[in-house]
Amino acid sequence: MARVGYVRVSTVEQNAARQLDGIECDETFTDRASGRNSERPELEAMLRFVRKGDTLVVHSMDRLARNLDDLRRLVQGLTGRGVRIEFVTEQLSFMGDDSPMATLLLSVMGAFAEFERALLRERQREGIVLAKEKGVYKGRRKALSQGTVDALRWRAAAGESRAELAREYGISRETLYKYLRTASEQAGTQPAD
């Protein structure tokens, strides 16, 4: 029977260590990814690792899932396999033989977390609109300079692998395709895949 920790931070810069600081775990899985969906490599590894009798320790409900449906599905799936789940911040535990009150608490707390995230996104959007009106918000900084983008476009047109170019320039393939699409739109052509 192992104590297994699961940690999720949204960005590489965020400190993952603080989430389970001072809590003893035999194994810890750490995702550096958005909680937008449950397709996260370390979450999937943790789900394969835990066994009946293990205890999963998570800092808070929103670290395991960002919406109520995913949270309930994960908790029910794990407890159904005999895994106990502890949420440190909420001071709640789920064991599979939970009472109707525990099920209600999971739903209510998960719904509040989802509502809080929605409010945060709304306030962020409102702040961006106000900053744009004041001329303060310029948007996200471009990943590459114009000269670098021109070289990238030339190399892609010469037939170099787009995946290798993306790795070399340190950008995602989505960003690479956006640069190529912009060039094609300016030239009135479609980018070659």
Side-chain angles (χ1 to χ4, degrees), residues 49-63:
F49 179 84
V50 292
R51 302 285 181 256
K52 182 176 183 175
D54 288 351
T55 298
L56 174 64
V57 183
V58 184
H59 175 70
S60 64
M61 290 179 175
D62 69 334
R63 299 294 89 196

Side-chain angles (χ1 to χ4, degrees), residues 27-52:
E27 187 77 32
T28 301
F29 295 84
T30 303
D31 267 316
R32 295 186 185 282
S34 168
R36 188 174 315 133
N37 61 45
S38 56
E39 296 173 9
R40 292 171 255 146
E42 290 297 303
L43 175 65
E44 292 171 3
M46 179 273 297
L47 291 172
R48 287 189 303 271
F49 179 84
V50 292
R51 302 285 181 256
K52 182 176 183 175

Side-chain angles (χ1 to χ4, degrees), residues 3-161:
R3 284 182 61 81
V4 178
Y6 177 72
V7 173
R8 183 187 63 77
V9 291
S10 299
T11 65
V12 175
E13 295 84 30
Q14 288 179 321
N15 184 359
R18 72 167 187 83
Q19 286 186 20
L20 296 179
D21 188 34
I23 297 174
E24 291 277 332
C25 291
D26 300 307
E27 187 77 32
T28 301
F29 295 84
T30 303
D31 267 316
R32 295 186 185 282
S34 168
R36 188 174 315 133
N37 61 45
S38 56
E39 296 173 9
R40 292 171 255 146
E42 290 297 303
L43 175 65
E44 292 171 3
M46 179 273 297
L47 291 172
R48 287 189 303 271
F49 179 84
V50 292
R51 302 285 181 256
K52 182 176 183 175
D54 288 351
T55 298
L56 174 64
V57 183
V58 184
H59 175 70
S60 64
M61 290 179 175
D62 69 334
R63 299 294 89 196
L64 186 60
R66 294 240 316 246
N67 67 59
L68 183 56
D69 292 337
D70 284 347
L71 177 65
R72 291 176 69 183
R73 183 182 50 76
L74 287 166
V75 169
Q76 288 170 352
L78 286 162
T79 57
R81 292 171 42 199
V83 176
R84 182 175 190 267
I85 303 173
E86 292 179 7
F87 293 106
V88 178
T89 301
E90 293 86 357
Q91 297 180 358
L92 292 173
S93 296
F94 298 92
M95 294 167 249
D97 56 353
D98 298 318
S99 68
M101 181 59 81
T103 304
L104 175 65
L105 279 173
L106 175 68
S107 296
V108 169
M109 297 297 286
F112 273 118
E114 190 173 340
F115 177 67
E116 184 179 17
R117 279 187 303 282
L119 286 177
L120 180 65
R121 282 192 305 270
E122 183 178 326
R123 286 192 298 266
Q124 183 181 23
R125 281 191 298 271
E126 289 171 355
I128 289 171
V129 167
L130 287 173
K132 282 181 178 179
E133 288 173 359
K134 293 178 181 178
V136 177
Y137 185 82
K138 304 293 183 201
R140 187 183 213 181
R141 187 177 64 80
K142 298 286 183 197
L144 303 175
S145 69
Q146 188 58 50
T148 305
V149 170
D150 292 340
L152 173 77
R153 289 174 179 159
W154 181 84
R155 291 176 64 186
E160 289 191 45
S161 163

